[in-house]
């Protein structure tokens, strides 16, 4: 019984940490340094994912979702990397491009 509860709790914890793209975020595109001057900055976005599987993907999805939430359609990646003990982080600029 205790093993079953532990397995269920682990499964919920791992699956509960997955970050999917919001429907509006699917239109956000990656912007290169050459394309960036033609875009309006909506600010810096910082995300971090410490738990679950696919930490890098989840952290990037959080960043893209935030760009979309701000009304942006472009993301310029400033940095990605390790965070904390085993996490992943993304720092990016949210952009509105023509």
């Amino acid at each position: 019984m205790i093993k079953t509860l532990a397995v269920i709790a682990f499964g919920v914890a791992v699956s509960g940490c997955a970050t999917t793209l919001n429907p509006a975020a699917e239109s956000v595109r990656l912007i290169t340094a050459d394309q960036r001057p033609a875009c309006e900055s909506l600010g810096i976005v910082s995300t971090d994912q410490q738990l679950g599987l696919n930490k890098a993907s989840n952290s990037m999805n959080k960043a893209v979702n935030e760009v979309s939430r701000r009304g942006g359609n472009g993301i310029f990646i400033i940095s990605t990397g390790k965070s904390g003990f085993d996490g992943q982080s993304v720092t990016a600029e949210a952009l509105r491009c023509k």
Side-chain angles (χ1 to χ4, degrees):
M1 178 70 167
I2 292 176
K3 282 185 178 181
T4 303
L5 290 175
V7 169
I8 291 171
F10 177 76
V12 168
V14 170
S15 66
C17 295
T19 302
T20 58
L21 285 179
N22 297 330
E26 293 181 16
S27 65
V28 174
R29 59 189 168 99
L30 184 63
I31 301 300
T32 65
D34 292 338
Q35 297 168 324
R36 188 172 169 215
C39 302
E40 172 191 358
S41 178
L42 302 174
I44 301 299
V45 173
S46 295
T47 62
D48 184 73
Q49 180 72 37
Q50 292 294 321
L51 300 173
L53 303 173
N54 303 316
K55 292 175 189 80
S57 177
N58 287 332
S59 189
M60 185 63 71
N61 284 349
K62 285 180 180 181
V64 172
N65 284 340
E66 178 60 19
V67 169
S68 172
R69 189 191 70 73
R70 294 183 186 193
N73 62 356
I75 186 169
F76 178 75
I77 305 300
I78 297 169
S79 68
T80 63
K82 293 205 176 267
S83 160
F85 176 70
D86 191 32
Q88 288 288 316
S89 67
V90 172
T91 303
E93 186 174 15
L95 301 166
R96 184 178 301 127
C97 305
K98 297 177 183 172

